[in-house]
Amino acid sequence: MSHEIIEKERDRIAPQFFGATGTKHESRYQRGLKVLNRLDGEAARRLIETLQEVSPDFARYLVEFPFGDIFSRPALDLKSREIAVLAALTTLGSATPQLKLDIAAALNAGCTREEVLEVIMQMAVYAGFPAALNGMLAAKEVFQERDRGRPGAEAQAQGTKSSLGETA
Amino acid sequence: MSHEIIEKERDRIAPQFFGATGTKHESRYQRGLKVLNRLDGEAARRLIETLQEVSPDFARYLVEFPFGDIFSRPALDLKSREIAVLAALTTLGSATPQLKLDIAAALNAGCTREEVLEVIMQMAVYAGFPAALNGMLAAKEVFQERDRGRPGAEAQAQGTKSSLGETA
Amino acid sequence: MSHEIIEKERDRIAPQFFGATGTKHESRYQRGLKVLNRLDGEAARRLIETLQEVSPDFARYLVEFPFGDIFSRPALDLKSREIAVLAALTTLGSATPQLKLDIAAALNAGCTREEVLEVIMQMAVYAGFPAALNGMLAAKEVFQERDRGRPGAEAQAQGTKSSLGETA
Amino acid sequence: MSHEIIEKERDRIAPQFFGATGTKHESRYQRGLKVLNRLDGEAARRLIETLQEVSPDFARYLVEFPFGDIFSRPALDLKSREIAVLAALTTLGSATPQLKLDIAAALNAGCTREEVLEVIMQMAVYAGFPAALNGMLAAKEVFQERDRGRPGAEAQAQGTKSSLGETA
Amino acid sequence: MSHEIIEKERDRIAPQFFGATGTKHESRYQRGLKVLNRLDGEAARRLIETLQEVSPDFARYLVEFPFGDIFSRPALDLKSREIAVLAALTTLGSATPQLKLDIAAALNAGCTREEVLEVIMQMAVYAGFPAALNGMLAAKEVFQERDRGRPGAEAQAQGTKSSLGETA
Amino acid sequence: MSHEIIEKERDRIAPQFFGATGTKHESRYQRGLKVLNRLDGEAARRLIETLQEVSPDFARYLVEFPFGDIFSRPALDLKSREIAVLAALTTLGSATPQLKLDIAAALNAGCTREEVLEVIMQMAVYAGFPAALNGMLAAKEVFQERDRGRPGAEAQAQGTKSSLGETA
């Protein structure tokens, strides 16, 4: 398959990624913000603002690629994507703040608390009991925060209270 | 919460785990075999037989805990569980034979090929492109094997052709 | 090897797991609690209680499989098992609270402080200096806590002071 | 920082990421191919073609994000980027085919063989001797392949001999 | 514990490691201290003192092997070595305190802040966005500490203020 | 390359590491070789020779630090050290050739086959079932090789049949 074919293939499969159709020219960044807002607008906004203070480019990539490109693909629903994310982050073990953000996001995407716990519990089989145990304790914290009326995990975000959530 | 409460709690939740025999009291091992048969009976049987030659106890635990205890819990459907497993194994990176087994199992549990690829692709975000790339190539192999009429991943299993699938 | 043989094999090897002999019908849960009490009753009790608030089933599995099934197997003494656990948790790197619990457990199982440090130090070779360094600092904290008369690592446990230790 | 500021920031930094076509508006995909060609055109072409057979979208993302976005950033030279990649892949341990590709890429980016070995050797300190040892053996294979006149690591690529290298 | 005590302790344990003195016979330990001083004398001194309280031997190995043997090899400059270290520690994910120490060390070895961020950002490709995100936040903290006039990461060091930095 | 050549090579590269000779001044390298010979002389010799072809310095470090420094410390017996190594390598998951070498080494250090399997089995709890499963299959291969009269794991070593075992 030659380079020309590569180019054609790309156009055939995903013309919408290159600004041709639909709501016309919606950028990857805009698409990413929409997904983030649906998952956990307030927490995502704070995280992005915190990141922008150290690396605005990385903050942009974080919106564009994971959320603008991957999460917004129609072939898998958001709830299933969050199940995959909970499994991955519990397995990694070293990303507890992100796990807490995504436990909240999973709940916002339609997972029940019970389903969140099932996914984390299942990781005892694949990543070991310590990883699952830490995931369980992270879930407990997120549930408690929500029961107290506060939005999900806020561990990594310390920013101003601007309007990203509303305007995106 | 005292020890007595722990004991009571256990009995309330899952009395069937401690029982004798009979359909009412299906054993953890029997339940595990049923789940394994549904996911990929032939490949699972071979893997278990291979394991039994080196450690019959571990072969039994593998049926009892992951499949008899965890996979057979009703709070999450098999398809969602397999999505979580694909995410975990792609993230681990070092368990390609198991990943191939579970790609086949995910297809048997109702995932489409496209959904399998979406989960693996999403791991580029959480575990990096090399992990996702290796997952993609594993999926390609499983798809090709199935297209050639052979059952899924067989990497780790070399055993006799007995009837576990039918009788379990 | 057919399914029937699998069933027979299981019975031959470990009849005691299925409630046939000995102190008659000691459950996996009861066996697990015994091991946990020997390793670090107070810390284990608190951890289990904390877990029970979020997932009683996972709290039960944690007692049953790791401790009721694996740790209580006679083929390896508790001290050797704790050496393996210290190596595994130091290698994982992301499970510091569990590492602290198991440093205390290793001491209770007969390891000297020097032996604990040797195992962690050796992980510099297999998992790198950062992992070993973090393990060393965890050990230092556990040793200091014990020197101050407090029981081992308590990082993950916040519960009531009930009698699990005595009654199990 | 408000959402409006986020949008402005993005435009200030990288207007070219959002554009139409023409040399002024080179696409992320085109930029990515250029970097890949410089690093190891033949091996990259084969890998992309192999990927396209299973997931053309992932093949495109692989060109666009890692190479079109990240590697083509001017703030760090290609040689330093490859040093970082060798360190990361040696540390991961489970991505030997990619490590081999990047050992070849590092040589093409200006690293000497001695420098490649130094980076891998240093990982004995951070990821342990087994990881460094496996990296060393991967380097040995790549060096031997190049000494025999064959292009670098070819482990993951089986494709036709088209002209991506020349035309991209 | 002062620097003099460090020297005495070292001599007591393993005089044979250090041979005679003079430039001809500079010991591995002395070479290691020199490198450490150049990278981040104050933070390194505190870390070593903390370690010496729990394991003087491991403290010595930490100076001798990583810094006396590996970092002091002439075949790769310190700046390139620190780029490799940042990549490795960001990839590991579970060694944030060491990552902060090495972000400071990388700056001292000649990396700009922008280059530090580029290396961490690139790890989004190889180890996933969560690992890169945590690295970014670690870099932000180190930069802020330096802007406030305090030396780099101090997370793991609580010791007396002796003179290792000046005299080694 | 024979053992004599190893000695000469070593002396050529870094005579200063070995000080004077005689039992009083046994070098780290000599101590390391003794430990390696006791653990698995033939396999270790081949691995070192293979490494020396790509990086004689790294081959030397591998003897000096892990074996000359760490394994030869008297505070923990070789058998316990090998238990820790089996746990670490099973947990890593990506170091199967080294795991096989160390399964053989553990047997040579006094572990029974049953104990080797117990340690690997226990890793199902700490690193997950896939890691333990792969460890089990590695053990099975090593046991089979030994039953066929061949020395332990030989995966990574292809060298001449010299006399390192006897003379070191």
Side-chain angles (χ1 to χ4, degrees), chain E residues 9-45:
Chain E
E9 186 70 49
R10 193 192 63 197
D11 292 337
R12 188 184 62 73
I13 293 163
Q16 77 278 11
F17 284 102
F18 303 96
T21 19
T23 29
K24 265 201 310 220
H25 297 283
E26 188 184 32
S27 73
R28 299 165 66 229
Y29 192 85
Q30 286 166 333
R31 255 185 292 140
L33 283 184
K34 272 194 192 163
V35 176
L36 275 168
N37 272 322
R38 188 163 156 215
L39 290 177
D40 198 342
E42 188 63 15
R45 185 190 53 70

Side-chain angles (χ1 to χ4, degrees), chain D residues 44-100:
Chain D
R45 184 190 54 69
R46 275 190 235 117
L47 175 58
I48 290 165
E49 285 177 8
T50 301
L51 263 181
Q52 281 176 324
E53 291 166 29
V54 62
S55 172
D57 285 6
F58 187 66
R60 180 167 54 78
Y61 292 139
L62 183 68
V63 177
E64 286 180 346
F65 178 64
F67 300 100
D69 282 354
I70 302 294
F71 267 79
S72 58
R73 293 171 60 85
L76 197 67
D77 59 288
L78 267 189
K79 181 179 164 180
S80 295
R81 289 195 185 278
E82 283 298 339
I83 286 172
V85 174
L86 296 183
L89 291 174
T90 305
T91 297
L92 284 177
S94 55
T96 307
Q98 287 85 5
L99 177 57
K100 290 179 69 181

Side-chain angles (χ1 to χ4, degrees), chain A residues 73-145:
Chain A
R73 293 171 60 85
L76 197 68
D77 59 287
L78 268 189
K79 181 179 163 180
S80 295
R81 289 196 185 277
E82 283 298 340
I83 285 173
V85 174
L86 296 183
L89 292 174
T90 304
T91 297
L92 284 177
S94 55
T96 307
Q98 286 86 4
L99 177 57
K100 290 180 69 181
L101 278 169
D102 272 291
I103 288 168
L107 296 172
N108 294 341
C111 287
T112 63
R113 289 188 182 193
E114 194 179 18
E115 287 170 332
V116 165
L117 294 175
E118 286 295 319
V119 174
I120 293 172
M121 187 189 293
Q122 194 171 337
M123 294 305 105
V125 173
Y126 293 90
F129 276 79
L133 177 53
N134 287 331
M136 283 281 166
L137 299 178
K140 188 180 182 181
E141 284 181 49
V142 175
F143 296 168
Q144 286 174 339
E145 283 163 8

